[in-house]
Amino acid sequence: MENDKHIYSQQEQEVITDRIEKALKLIKVLHNDLYDLINTLIGTFLILKKDLFGGGSVSNVMGLVWLNPQSDWSIIEYAEAIYHEFIHQSIFLDDMINCMFPNANECAKEEALVTSTILKIKRPLDRAYHAAGVSIGIMHLYHLFNDSKNSDKYMDDLRKTVEEIEARTQFLGEQGVKTLEIMRKFINHPSFDDITYSLQN
């Protein structure tokens, strides 16, 4: 943050704000219930520049996500980033209430490292678990766009991640195991309609 290099210009801020609003409207058209959930869970978008990152969430700052939109991002990519961070927020909330990962420090031990669905490198189990959830959401988003190519793009990597987590369920709480079983069911019998339904109920 030296010399305020993390701050977008006023003109850039106006463009980004407009694109976030358009992305949210697009999500509303695609799935109104998802839009309502995003608005319920995310109260603030923090926009700042950070090299090599497109955004992020922090488990102890619920309701706030930060984005680092690139100048060439389409409205669809904005929508993807918003859905991505919404899933992180949802898992953080679930973990806070239902203890999905009883000991985060244990998840970072060598024997708990798992291949991330998205980054395709070994990461702490809880972070890889998050990535698995995010990958399903992103595929669901592209399913809503009727984009069959991108609605399947993480499936093979997701299968690998889930298999590795299934071999390490001692690091999960009861809710973590339950949600992992739902991921396995999705892998074995992919149904985006089930995801659409769950967001409505």
Side-chain angles (χ1 to χ4, degrees), residues 68-99:
N68 178 28
Q70 304 304 297
S71 60
D72 61 348
W73 274 16
S74 66
I75 300 303
I76 291 174
E77 287 171 303
Y78 272 85
E80 180 180 325
I82 291 168
Y83 198 174
H84 180 135
E85 297 307 328
F86 163 74
I87 294 169
H88 282 306
Q89 293 280 315
S90 300
I91 296 174
F92 286 146
L93 182 60
D94 201 1
D95 184 32
M96 186 184 299
I97 297 169
N98 297 306
C99 194

Side-chain angles (χ1 to χ4, degrees), residues 36-89:
D36 287 342
L37 288 168
I38 288 171
N39 274 282
T40 298
L41 202 51
I42 301 175
T44 303
F45 289 103
L46 174 65
I47 308 301
L48 56 84
K49 296 179 182 179
K50 184 173 174 63
D51 289 344
L52 306 178
F53 288 89
S57 294
V58 183
S59 60
N60 60 355
V61 189
M62 289 296 301
L64 180 147
V65 302
W66 72 268
L67 296 176
N68 178 28
Q70 304 304 297
S71 60
D72 61 348
W73 274 16
S74 66
I75 300 303
I76 291 174
E77 287 171 303
Y78 272 85
E80 180 180 325
I82 291 168
Y83 198 174
H84 180 135
E85 297 307 328
F86 163 74
I87 294 169
H88 282 306
Q89 293 280 315

Side-chain angles (χ1 to χ4, degrees), residues 112-125 128-129 131-133 135-136 139 152-169 180 183-184 186-188:
L113 299 183
V114 172
T115 305
S116 169
T117 304
I118 294 176
L119 296 179
K120 300 178 180 60
I121 59 173
K122 294 287 186 179
R123 301 199 74 201
L125 183 140
Y129 194 109
S135 73
I136 294 172
M139 289 189 291
D152 190 45
K153 69 183 210 174
Y154 291 117
M155 197 62 77
D156 290 339
D157 297 302
L158 173 64
R159 185 176 292 105
K160 179 178 177 61
T161 300
V162 168
E163 285 174 356
E164 292 183 17
I165 296 175
E166 286 172 334
R168 296 165 177 81
T169 54
L180 182 66
M183 289 187 195
R184 166 53 66 188
F186 173 79
I187 291 168
N188 291 343

Side-chain angles (χ1 to χ4, degrees), residues 187-201:
I187 291 168
N188 291 343
H189 304 285
S191 174
F192 292 109
D193 291 338
D194 286 350
I195 298 173
T196 299
Y197 176 82
S198 70
L199 291 168
Q200 294 169 335
N201 295 277

